[in-house]
Amino acid sequence: MKICAQIIGIIVLARLLKEVDGKGEISDLESLAKTDAMYTALLKEINSTFHKRPLLAEKNAEFEKNFQTVLVALNLSMYEIATKIDVYTDFTVYNQIRLELEREIFKKLQVAERLQKMENLMPTCRIFFANQQVQLIGSFSQSNLMKLEILNHPGPECENVEVQKIFIAPTSSTARPDNYDTEILKVLAKYRTRPWGKKTYRDFDEKIWNLFMAINSEEQTFKKNALAAFKKYDEDRAILDKALAHRIAEFEKQIPHETNPCRVDLIRLKKELGRAMFETTQKKHNSLVATNYVKTCLNNQIKLFLAMNDLTL
């Protein structure tokens, strides 16, 4: 487990701290004084840091016991440096483990709190997580060993299982009523600028005007029908406009390779297709049908003539 690995690492580091002069022995008086000064300063730092107890450690008897040993060690002479080192090391190890365990407790509390807010949580699991929250909160004032036991005591039915097993499957679903006003406003916002820029587009303006009328109406049926009609129109328009743009691009590629009078006729057809962009969907469709077979002009003069006639109808 991640926590256990971190705890082992802390303990190993702590043992290394106890090594003085490589063998756990003080070589001379000067070295003894320096070492004593260093560990005394470290103990004083602990005292100043935790003189006012952390909120989560105020009622923690184990924390208080370890902290009191620090206060006692501060009054020891330099000849009791070994005890000072042990006290500093023991407190540091204890406190690091405490902090790591409390971080894990906070994480578990957050999960339990989120699950408690879910309406379809199984009743048995709701009770389990409620009890778990009480245990986790209470563990802040308990020993590190108790913290570890609580963290490593999952509920077999509510933890470490598939998520869907702790929730009640919905028996029925009630669809929310459609909010036509919201949908219409989205469309109006989308087309604040008309398709293809600011050019006059009467057919589009007529269709979208119905939505303006619908948004001011109290009749939901009118809103629904107006929205459905515009969406259908807009879908067809977009498909036809894309096809027109593609056809125009084909003609633009073809025109440089043609000679008059065919070249002139193709240019005229291309302009007609461009104007069709702002016509009704029916006229867009007619333009596409009329120019569908105009692939090359050299051998299709008759077809080209017929296509031009169709566009003028």
Side-chain angles (χ1 to χ4, degrees):
M1 182 181 175
K2 180 182 176 183
I3 299 176
C4 293
Q6 290 172 332
I7 291 173
I8 292 170
I10 292 170
I11 293 172
V12 171
L13 287 173
R15 288 180 178 175
L16 292 175
L17 285 173
K18 291 188 178 183
E19 293 186 8
V20 180
D21 199 23
K23 298 179 181 179
E25 298 176 356
I26 307 300
S27 58
D28 52 38
L29 191 60
E30 183 181 356
S31 176
L32 176 64
K34 287 181 180 179
T35 304
D36 178 69
M38 180 181 72
Y39 278 95
T40 300
L42 291 171
L43 291 170
K44 285 181 178 179
E45 184 179 352
I46 292 174
N47 183 30
S48 62
T49 302
F50 298 108
H51 180 71
K52 184 177 181 181
R53 307 294 187 271
L55 180 63
L56 296 177
E58 281 183 347
K59 298 179 180 180
N60 190 326
E62 187 178 43
F63 179 89
E64 189 63 29
K65 178 182 176 182
N66 279 276
F67 184 73
Q68 288 300 323
T69 61
V70 172
L71 298 180
V72 171
L74 280 171
N75 295 315
L76 298 177
S77 69
M78 71 175 183
Y79 296 104
E80 297 174 284
I81 182 61
T83 302
K84 286 186 177 181
I85 293 173
D86 285 343
V87 169
Y88 170 76
T89 303
D90 291 344
F91 182 87
T92 302
V93 170
Y94 159 76
N95 197 51
Q96 287 295 328
I97 293 173
R98 177 184 69 85
L99 293 173
E100 182 60 34
L101 290 171
E102 287 178 358
R103 277 192 286 269
E104 294 300 319
I105 290 169
F106 272 121
K107 291 179 185 177
K108 206 160 189 176
L109 269 173
Q110 288 175 342
V111 172
E113 287 172 3
R114 284 197 295 267
L115 289 171
Q116 284 284 86
K117 293 177 182 178
M118 296 185 178
E119 295 180 359
N120 59 336
L121 185 67
M122 292 283 286
T124 53
C125 290
R126 188 175 298 281
I127 294 171
F128 168 79
F129 286 117
N131 292 334
Q132 186 187 65
Q133 282 180 284
V134 174
Q135 280 188 317
L136 289 170
I137 292 171
S139 70
F140 286 120
S141 61
Q142 295 179 341
S143 67
N144 285 350
L145 181 59
M146 286 301 298
K147 288 182 174 70
L148 192 60
E149 286 185 6
I150 291 171
L151 284 170
N152 290 323
H153 187 63
E157 296 180 0
C158 300
E159 288 188 299
N160 299 333
V161 296
E162 294 178 8
V163 176
Q164 61 267 26
K165 290 184 178 180
I166 67 173
F167 294 108
I168 302 170
T171 54
S172 63
S173 58
T174 304
R176 293 183 179 180
D178 293 323
N179 190 334
Y180 299 117
D181 286 345
T182 301
E183 292 298 314
I184 291 172
L185 288 173
K186 285 181 181 179
V187 173
L188 295 177
K190 177 182 177 181
Y191 288 119
R192 188 172 299 169
T193 300
R194 299 293 186 263
W196 309 110
K198 297 181 180 179
K199 295 183 180 180
T200 303
Y201 201 161
R202 291 180 181 176
D203 188 54
F204 184 88
D205 286 341
E206 288 176 5
K207 297 295 189 299
I208 205 167
W209 177 251
N210 290 331
L211 289 183
F212 281 106
M213 297 291 289
I215 200 69
N216 294 314
S217 173
E218 297 295 330
E219 296 182 15
Q220 293 299 311
T221 303
F222 179 44
K223 294 177 189 286
K224 176 183 177 181
N225 293 338
L227 183 62
F230 182 84
K231 284 185 174 181
K232 179 64 172 65
Y233 159 78
D234 196 41
E235 182 181 347
D236 293 342
R237 176 200 61 76
I239 293 171
L240 291 167
D241 283 354
K242 185 176 181 180
L244 286 168
H246 181 71
R247 185 67 50 79
I248 290 170
E250 285 184 339
F251 279 18
E252 286 177 344
K253 290 180 182 178
Q254 184 179 341
I255 287 170
H257 303 290
E258 300 292 350
T259 57
N260 290 332
C262 197
R263 179 188 177 91
V264 174
D265 291 335
L266 281 176
I267 291 173
R268 187 177 303 167
L269 275 178
K270 190 190 80 167
K271 289 181 179 179
E272 291 289 344
L273 289 170
R275 283 192 286 270
M277 287 282 194
F278 304 96
E279 296 291 348
T280 64
T281 52
Q282 184 59 53
K283 288 186 177 180
K284 293 176 193 287
H285 179 266
N286 292 344
S287 296
L288 286 167
V289 171
T291 58
N292 190 44
Y293 49 77
V294 182
K295 298 299 181 185
T296 180
C297 208
L298 294 175
N299 300 318
N300 290 285
Q301 291 293 332
I302 296 175
K303 290 181 179 179
L304 185 60
F305 174 76
L306 293 173
M308 292 175 63
N309 285 340
D310 288 341
L311 285 173
T312 58
L313 294 178

